[in-house]
Amino acid sequence: MKSGIIKKTTSYIMGIPMNDMDINTPQMIYDRIAGSSEFELKDVSFDDKNICPMLTVVYKDMEFIVDVKIEPVSAIEPDFMLCHPMPDSSVKKIKQAQIGITTSMTFNDDILASHHFQLKFLDCILPEAAAVVDFNVRRIFSPVWLKKTAASSVAPGPSYIFSVNVAPDKNDKSWIFTQGLNRCGFMELEVINADNSNIDFYASAMSIASSKAISERVFPSEMEPFEIAKLGDDKKLSVTWRFWKGEMSAYPQDCLGVGKKRPKSQSMFNGVLFIWPDDGKSKKPVRANELAPFCMDKAVIEYSAEESLRIEALAKETLPALAKGLTLPESKALVKIKTVSSGDSEGNVNFEYIWAEADRIDEENIYCTAVHDTLFSKEITNGEKFQTSIKNISDWILNLRGTRIAPDNAFLLEN
């Protein structure tokens, strides 16, 4: 049995400067770090292998070793995706860009904090970015997102650390695979020869599993069950994986991800996704591409205590964005409200959560309509209108003309 835990690969994130002169000399970079209240520049040396400065930086009692290299942007390939709407000035600069500044480092065991540090550090050494390029996930991010993320006290969520990619094959088939998990010390996941009609199901399962692994800092060993959601009626969604080399004979040799059609970048630490059927009987998982999708409308994803606290902190920090969103035409929002359900004889207070439609919000309160009953008490019933302090908001989702906005991409409302 192979372990799903591997040696972490390097995280590479580049900033494309709006003004190339901002990264003219290494000393300019050192001075910016020295002027930051968040970082301590502990040591400067030289990486002979990568031919660039190597900096030892202290952040929140954590020590990171970061290579900082000014290099051509030619490594940005055509399949890199834009993840956010970009300012016109950024789009123009990206097309003309010649150089960027790349930070490369290894995450520590606190994956989210490591990622947050790398983004904060990049923002510190680059006064005005045109774009952020994350080579591990082959994505390009908005400079506005970088500024908001760097200024935040809360790390961005797991979804920013990995990507789920779809490569179309022939005969209505596709190869679906993650990127970014290797830098977390986990196996990448993939589904080979997937029916195009089932892509959303496979991608959702991979995304939930990846986010759970990152937030809980765990990853199953080969063919070990990994429960990622509850589906109701005592059923659950559990996944696992098998090392890709042992799976190649199960697929046609001319499909993507197999034989000569498998790129070297996907030939290291990758596992083919297996899923347990939703029948309550099967003891063995099956290859995801051989499994008929089942309904996930009532899927309940249980977050770790740490991730729940992160989401709640970010939800509170981004409340101005929610308030602004509610004033826009055709906007609808759901808010997750923390309520007191009961207390025990020792004075301990128990809490539960309820989702509600947000009707309006002011500086102190939010006015809502419940969309379900409270589960453990008769405190609130479905359809009941109530008001509560904005301090009780622990998460929110805004739908703005088909665009889903949540605390992790709230910057879209703050432009």
Side-chain angles (χ1 to χ4, degrees):
M1 177 181 289
K2 292 183 181 293
S3 172
I5 306 298
I6 64 168
K7 182 179 179 181
K8 297 182 182 74
T9 58
T10 304
S11 178
Y12 296 95
I13 302 180
M14 171 190 278
I16 297 177
M18 190 62 75
N19 183 351
D20 291 355
M21 295 303 292
D22 283 341
I23 53 174
N24 197 37
T25 66
Q27 190 60 49
M28 296 170 70
I29 294 167
Y30 308 152
D31 290 344
R32 289 172 191 139
I33 300 170
S36 170
S37 60
E38 290 195 283
F39 306 125
E40 175 194 346
L41 183 56
K42 188 174 181 180
D43 184 54
V44 178
S45 57
F46 194 79
D47 187 330
D48 294 322
K49 181 180 179 181
N50 293 314
I51 317 177
C52 66
M54 184 168 61
L55 313 183
T56 302
V57 183
V58 178
Y59 167 72
K60 289 187 175 180
D61 298 324
M62 297 179 288
E63 189 173 285
F64 295 95
I65 298 175
V66 190
D67 275 8
V68 179
K69 189 172 186 177
I70 299 170
E71 57 185 355
V73 299
S74 55
I76 303 175
E77 298 177 9
D79 67 332
F80 278 45
M81 292 178 58
L82 293 174
C83 278
H84 300 136
M86 303 286 284
D88 291 342
S89 57
S90 291
V91 174
K92 182 178 180 181
K93 179 61 180 180
I94 292 171
K95 292 179 179 178
Q96 301 172 346
Q98 299 296 316
I99 59 171
I101 184 166
T102 300
T103 60
S104 55
M105 55 172 273
T106 302
F107 289 171
N108 64 22
D109 289 340
D110 192 334
I111 299 167
L112 294 181
S114 298
H115 183 235
H116 200 197
F117 161 77
Q118 191 169 11
L119 295 169
K120 281 177 171 281
F121 181 77
L122 182 60
D123 179 70
C124 172
I125 65 176
L126 187 57
E128 186 180 7
V132 178
V133 183
D134 190 331
F135 291 99
N136 295 76
V137 295
R138 304 175 77 82
R139 298 289 190 269
I140 302 174
F141 297 92
S142 164
V144 182
W145 171 77
L146 177 66
K147 282 293 180 188
K148 293 292 184 182
T149 299
S152 176
S153 61
V154 185
S159 62
Y160 282 103
I161 297 179
F162 71 94
S163 61
V164 177
N165 309 277
V166 179
D169 201 349
K170 55 187 178 181
N171 300 323
D172 292 324
K173 301 284 187 177
S174 290
W175 180 27
I176 313 169
F177 55 90
T178 65
Q179 290 182 307
L181 293 182
N182 283 171
R183 65 175 163 181
C184 303
F186 305 141
M187 301 290 287
E188 302 288 355
L189 297 172
E190 61 183 280
V191 180
I192 299 173
N193 206 34
D195 287 339
N196 287 348
S197 59
N198 300 335
I199 285 176
D200 287 347
F201 173 73
Y202 302 140
S204 294
M206 294 167 76
S207 182
I208 296 170
S210 300
S211 293
K212 184 178 177 70
I214 291 171
S215 63
E216 298 185 4
R217 307 178 200 176
V218 298
F219 202 87
S221 295
E222 189 175 38
M223 302 309 284
E224 176 186 11
F226 187 40
E227 182 180 327
I228 61 173
K230 297 186 184 300
L231 301 174
D233 299 324
D234 296 325
K235 294 180 180 180
K236 56 189 179 183
L237 175 59
S238 294
V239 303
T240 190
W241 58 276
R242 190 176 178 210
F243 193 56
W244 70 274
K245 283 187 177 179
E247 283 293 296
M248 293 300 96
S249 62
Y251 304 99
Q253 293 305 295
D254 62 344
C255 69
L256 284 178
V258 179
K260 294 181 179 180
K261 290 195 173 185
R262 188 177 186 92
K264 290 183 179 179
S265 61
Q266 301 295 112
S267 299
M268 293 290 288
F269 307 109
N270 297 70
V272 172
L273 184 71
F274 279 66
I275 301 177
W276 268 265
D278 179 34
D279 57 14
K281 302 176 182 178
S282 301
K283 295 183 179 181
K284 292 184 178 181
V286 299
R287 295 180 188 88
N289 70 299
E290 299 174 356
L291 181 73
F294 40 84
C295 181
M296 293 180 60
D297 291 346
K298 296 183 179 180
V300 176
I301 303 167
E302 294 184 348
Y303 296 109
S304 66
E306 184 177 349
E307 177 63 2
S308 295
L309 289 173
R310 187 199 71 82
I311 293 172
E312 185 169 342
L314 192 58
K316 286 177 166 54
E317 185 178 279
T318 55
L319 279 178
L322 172 63
K324 179 179 180 179
L326 283 172
T327 66
L328 299 176
E330 301 179 46
S331 65
K332 292 184 178 181
L334 289 174
V335 288
K336 187 179 181 181
I337 302 296
K338 187 177 184 178
T339 69
V340 176
S341 62
S342 64
D344 59 26
S345 59
E346 298 179 357
N348 297 315
V349 178
N350 295 319
F351 297 95
E352 65 174 305
Y353 297 89
I354 186 168
W355 283 95
E357 290 184 358
D359 299 321
R360 64 185 179 90
I361 188 172
D362 59 32
E363 292 182 357
E364 296 183 355
N365 296 301
I366 186 162
Y367 303 82
C368 314
T369 304
V371 297
H372 61 85
D373 298 341
T374 44
L375 300 177
F376 304 107
S377 70
K378 297 181 180 180
E379 188 73 20
I380 300 173
T381 58
N382 183 23
E384 179 181 342
K385 291 186 175 296
F386 65 98
Q387 73 178 69
T388 186
S389 169
I390 59 173
K391 295 179 181 178
N392 294 324
I393 297 175
S394 59
D395 198 2
W396 57 267
I397 302 170
L398 181 78
N399 188 305
L400 186 60
R401 295 185 293 277
T403 299
R404 182 185 183 278
I405 299 174
D408 268 316
N409 65 345
F411 81 95
L412 294 172
L413 286 166
E414 297 182 19
N415 292 343

